[in-house]
Amino acid sequence: MSNIERIIYEAMEKIKNSDDEMLENIRSEYFGKNGILTKILKSLSHYSIEDRKRIGFETNKAKTNLESEIEKRRKGLKKTLIVQKMQREKLDCSSIFYFPFPKGSFHPIVQTIQDMILTFKSLGFLVAEGPEIETDWYNFEALNIPKNHPAKDIQDTFYLDSMKNLLLRTHTSPGQIRVMEKQKPPIKVVVPGRVYRNESSDASHSSTFHQIEGLRVDKNVTFLDLKIILTKFIHSFFCYELNVRFRPSYFQFTEPSAEVDVQCLFCMGRGCKVCKNSGWIEMLGCGMLHPNVLGSVNYDSELYTGYAFGMGVERITMLKYKIDDIRLFYENDLRFLKQF
Ligand code: PHE
């Protein structure tokens, strides 16, 4: 090992274990006024030209190497400091007392909608959605509800403009029109959603509630298909033992129309306060699509027939869980909600 090589070797060893202050001392020890390498450079005149060149070159090279080694060590030290600081300040969660946060759950109305959708899916229905802000056309006109019909009265509908064109949908039936407008038969969908009626609330009424609409259009769809599907739905959603009956009714958009009653779930048909001693509870409205409705979406009513049905989600949830006041769904009282 040459003299310079040994000097470098020793310096490198020192640098490895130095802190910032020691690095500064090493710098002056080697490159300072009386530094080891400075002295060598100063003494070059004592050597032959040959040696001068060689020693000068090696010394300068050693200088550059040592400088960069010192710089590397400086950076390393800085990094170590940061890591040490991070370790010191690291949050130790191991000693925090375990607090069992209660798990949330879906609102009973959402749960019912999800359950109903599952049941309808098993019967071959797809799911569609429509907007809550509707136009007069979708909510009324296309559904064969004429201009001067009492249902359009300001009492029932929340209008959003003075022209009475924009409104909050009063039922999910405009969803039927939007689906038929977009696609050709065969159609088999359910449309869940929130609806609005301009009326005051009591134990069985609310100005905001939810419905689920059903629609099927194809060649040769009959009232029997409607009866079969709704009976299957009620049986699989509630209980297979329940009696179901279809009662003639009237809706502008269906003809013939019917209302479906189920055997009272509270007294199993014996008669009680809830079913007003009739043994039956009204569950939903339905019927065969009126030719005018098919016409409003340019379907050929000679070729296609269809059925539609609509039911209130709150009402069904109330029956299922034996709840006697609709307002409980909107008060967000945790003692009520926690039961679901
Ligand atoms: N849209 C009706 C209502 O809100 C329910 C219904 C839907 C009836 C489809 C027949 C067919 O009362």
Side-chain angles (χ1 to χ4, degrees), residues 170-173 176 197 211 213-214 251 253-254 285-287 308-310:
T170 58
H171 51 177
T172 40
S173 301
Q176 292 177 27
R197 301 246 174 115
Q211 287 188 331
E213 189 87 7
F251 298 102
F253 32 95
T254 48
C286 64
F309 55 84

Side-chain angles (χ1 to χ4, degrees), residues 2 28 36 58 109 131 146 167 173 185 212 225 238 242 254 297 322:
S2 77
S28 54
I36 299 173
E58 277 179 18
I109 294 300
L167 48 87
S173 301
I212 189 158
D225 296 316
F238 289 103
L242 288 181
T254 48
V297 289
K322 301 192 165 64

Side-chain angles (χ1 to χ4, degrees), residues 81-92:
L81 272 180
I82 293 171
V83 172
Q84 280 171 350
K85 186 166 178 261
M86 273 162 60
Q87 270 169 352
R88 243 185 290 125
E89 292 173 359
K90 192 173 71 181
L91 189 61
D92 177 10

